[in-house]
Amino acid sequence: MISGFERCEFGYVARLDRELSLILQQLLGETITVLDAPDDSTILSSIVTEEEFREEPDDPVLRMLLPPMSDDPLEAESLRALTEDSLRTEKSARLQMILCVLRDHVAGEIDQIAIDNGQEWEWLRGLNDLRLVLAQRLNVGSEEWDELAQRAEHLLTVACADETASVEEAIAIIYHIVSWWQDSLLRAVELSGGASSL
């Protein structure tokens, strides 16, 4: 069970069951691992010398989370050398914060997620990063994705009662849920007068 976010006195609240919380925790943990994974070719060189250029990471998930900041290849490599480490740290810390909230939610055996005032945009950015990771895995935007998305939407409407989802369909279902949850939080923020800072 999951509900959309609603405004409350101290921030925003939504309901989330234990099973879905555990799935999101696993996804968060895997994404944090990718962001925090050491890369000797970049980390050591940036410690020893002032790195002027850095190529795109080999990992497709990292390429999705850390896209080029310029269409010009040399400028993109220069900007990546200046910003990649700090962006990885920021994204990892944001996801760690969400992960801690979900762990507390499961440990406390409550069905409500609470976001304090001031943390809503960190949550929105973090949920967006999760969507990007899932989108990369699912090849969102391809012809194959269209068929998979329709199947996932069908399984969501029947609540998977009499049908078993494949691994890819299950991932697509989570993608839809995360997208819907992020959108519900964004709408709640906008209704409360919060300006977009994504």
Side-chain angles (χ1 to χ4, degrees):
M1 180 191 71
I2 184 171
S3 74
F5 282 96
E6 296 180 358
R7 188 77 168 102
C8 66
E9 183 179 353
F10 60 82
Y12 304 86
V13 293
R15 296 194 179 279
L16 180 67
D17 65 23
R18 184 177 188 275
E19 182 179 354
L20 187 51
S21 180
L22 291 172
I23 291 171
L24 293 177
Q25 286 179 51
Q26 181 177 348
L27 177 59
L28 284 161
E30 290 171 359
T31 306
I32 290 166
T33 298
V34 171
L35 283 167
D36 291 350
D39 182 345
D40 292 341
S41 66
T42 59
I43 294 176
L44 290 180
S45 63
S46 65
I47 292 173
V48 176
T49 63
E50 290 189 12
E51 196 177 17
E52 293 185 14
F53 300 97
R54 183 180 299 183
E55 294 180 356
E56 274 192 336
D58 293 330
D59 192 311
V61 171
L62 275 180
R63 288 201 302 272
M64 181 68 80
L65 291 171
L66 303 165
M69 299 175 71
S70 172
D71 292 331
D72 178 80
L74 282 180
E75 185 178 14
E77 290 182 9
S78 177
L79 290 170
R80 187 176 293 278
L82 291 171
T83 63
E84 183 176 294
D85 292 339
S86 61
L87 285 174
R88 286 173 74 154
T89 300
E90 288 174 14
K91 287 176 180 286
S92 180
R94 186 180 298 133
L95 296 177
Q96 287 278 10
M97 180 267 295
I98 296 174
L99 180 59
C100 286
V101 172
L102 294 182
R103 284 177 175 164
D104 290 345
H105 156 256
V106 170
E109 297 184 352
I110 55 175
D111 66 351
Q112 195 173 72
I113 294 290
I115 300 177
D116 292 334
N117 285 321
Q119 291 186 336
E120 57 268 28
W121 291 107
E122 293 300 288
W123 270 77
L124 285 165
R125 292 185 185 100
L127 291 174
N128 192 59
D129 282 341
L130 290 187
R131 287 181 65 251
L132 290 173
V133 170
L134 291 167
Q136 190 281 323
R137 170 70 185 272
L138 294 166
N139 199 16
V140 170
S142 67
E143 292 181 8
E144 296 81 3
W145 163 247
D146 292 337
E147 183 178 341
L148 181 60
Q150 290 177 6
R151 175 70 177 157
E153 288 175 4
H154 167 71
L155 291 169
L156 273 171
T157 58
V158 299
C160 303
D162 301 313
E163 302 183 49
T164 303
S166 67
V167 172
E168 291 300 305
E169 288 167 348
I171 295 171
I173 288 170
I174 298 301
Y175 175 83
H176 280 297
I177 289 173
V178 171
S179 299
W180 175 81
W181 215 33
Q182 181 196 24
D183 187 60
S184 78
L185 178 55
L186 181 59
R187 282 186 278 113
V189 170
E190 289 175 342
L191 285 173
S192 68
S196 174
S197 63
L198 280 176

